[in-house]
Amino acid sequence: AQSVAQPEDQVNVAEGNPLTVKCTYSVSGNPYLFWYVQYPNRGLQFLLKYITGDNLVKGSYGFEAEFNKSQTSFHLKKPSALVSDSALYFCAVRDMNTGNQFYFGTGTSLTVIP
Amino acid sequence: GAGVSQTPSNKVTEKGKYVELRCDPISGHTALYWYRQSLGQGPEFLIYFQGTGAADDSGLPNDRFFAVRPEGSVSTLKIQRTERGDSAVYLCASSPQRGNNEQFFGPGTRLTVL
């Protein structure tokens, strides 16, 4: 069965430090992988995606993510965190070979401490 | 340009009542998705439209839930005989086409069933 796991409910990082938000996935075929961010009282916003090609994907607001097929992971990273990055982050996956469903993780709340 | 809009933003109803939730996708987007997001959870897929037809309704939890998109643009999610467990934020998203494109999410409708 397809699924996404975000093992950390909460991540705290000091401003200026690198941040990582973890995501692992399970699909029967090849994955489409996405990261979305949700600010309070706002809709989910697209950050970046992996479809095929280079394993390192760069997205909005300086975020990047690395697709690791052997570890079935797609961790979100940023070299230097900003206070304004504080938000709820969701990883999502779609199995290329089956169906139309996107599976979302339960979300990770990121707090960047000034 | 205009994003995805959803109305109402909040809906409070009594157990057993019927409700309709509306989604206006981005103009020209052929794919439309409905999700349900409960507190502390990620979005849960309900139904996907490609054009006017429901291409995948496998996420609808039971036959009290139904959605339409008669002209391939606006969609309405309908819930009959609402139950307290239906309380959640209902999200709509649209995409230029299915598959590997990112989805653009609306702000959601918060449904509360008393």
Side-chain angles (χ1 to χ4, degrees), chain A residues 36 49 94 100-102 105, chain B residues 42 45 58 98 100 102-103:
Chain A
Y36 287 85
K49 65 182 178 183
R94 177 178 173 259
N100 304 289
Q101 295 195 24
F102 284 78
Chain B
F45 170 84
S58 60
R98 82 179 186 103
N100 61 356
E102 60 268 30
Q103 296 172 44

Side-chain angles (χ1 to χ4, degrees), chain A residues 9 32 34 36 38 41-46 49 51 88 90 94 96 99-107, chain B residues 33 35 37 40-45 48 55-56 58-59 91 98-108:
Chain A
D9 291 335
Y32 292 145
F34 299 79
Y36 287 85
Q38 188 173 37
N41 301 314
R42 301 271 298 275
L44 278 82
Q45 297 177 30
F46 169 79
K49 65 182 178 183
I51 303 300
L88 192 55
F90 290 95
R94 177 178 173 259
M96 283 187 196
N100 304 289
Q101 295 195 24
F102 284 78
Y103 295 88
F104 282 79
T106 53
Chain B
Y33 300 80
Y35 294 87
Q37 186 175 18
Q41 300 296 316
E44 173 192 8
F45 170 84
Y48 156 70
D56 186 342
S58 60
L91 300 172
R98 82 179 186 103
N100 61 356
N101 282 291
E102 60 268 30
Q103 296 172 44
F104 295 81
F105 281 82

Side-chain angles (χ1 to χ4, degrees), chain B:
Chain B
V4 177
S5 63
Q6 292 185 245
T7 54
S9 55
N10 280 284
K11 176 69 177 179
V12 180
T13 190
E14 294 179 343
K15 180 175 178 294
K17 299 291 188 182
Y18 168 81
V19 297
E20 289 190 351
L21 312 179
R22 176 186 169 107
C23 172
D24 283 82
I26 293 173
S27 178
H29 282 191
T30 57
L32 186 146
Y33 300 80
W34 282 100
Y35 294 87
R36 178 169 66 178
Q37 186 175 18
S38 300
L39 192 63
Q41 300 296 316
E44 173 192 8
F45 170 84
L46 295 176
I47 187 169
Y48 156 70
F49 289 90
Q50 181 61 36
T52 60
D56 186 342
D57 65 357
S58 60
L60 295 177
N62 51 60
D63 61 6
R64 295 187 298 105
F65 288 75
F66 189 71
V68 296
R69 195 186 185 198
E71 298 178 356
S73 178
V74 170
S75 177
T76 304
L77 178 66
K78 307 180 181 191
I79 309 175
Q80 299 177 323
R81 305 183 304 279
T82 51
E83 299 177 357
R84 292 193 179 89
D86 298 335
S87 297
V89 176
Y90 289 82
L91 300 172
C92 175
S94 70
S95 178
Q97 62 185 36
R98 82 179 186 103
N100 61 356
N101 282 291
E102 60 268 30
Q103 296 172 44
F104 295 81
F105 281 82
T109 294
R110 182 175 298 278
L111 175 66
T112 303
V113 182
L114 301 178

Side-chain angles (χ1 to χ4, degrees), chain A residues 25-57:
Chain A
Y25 65 90
S26 173
V27 296
S28 55
N30 292 317
Y32 292 145
L33 292 156
F34 299 79
W35 276 101
Y36 287 85
V37 60
Q38 188 173 37
Y39 297 100
N41 301 314
R42 301 271 298 275
L44 278 82
Q45 297 177 30
F46 169 79
L47 277 180
L48 50 79
K49 65 182 178 183
Y50 171 83
I51 303 300
T52 187
D54 289 341
N55 290 341
L56 185 63
V57 177

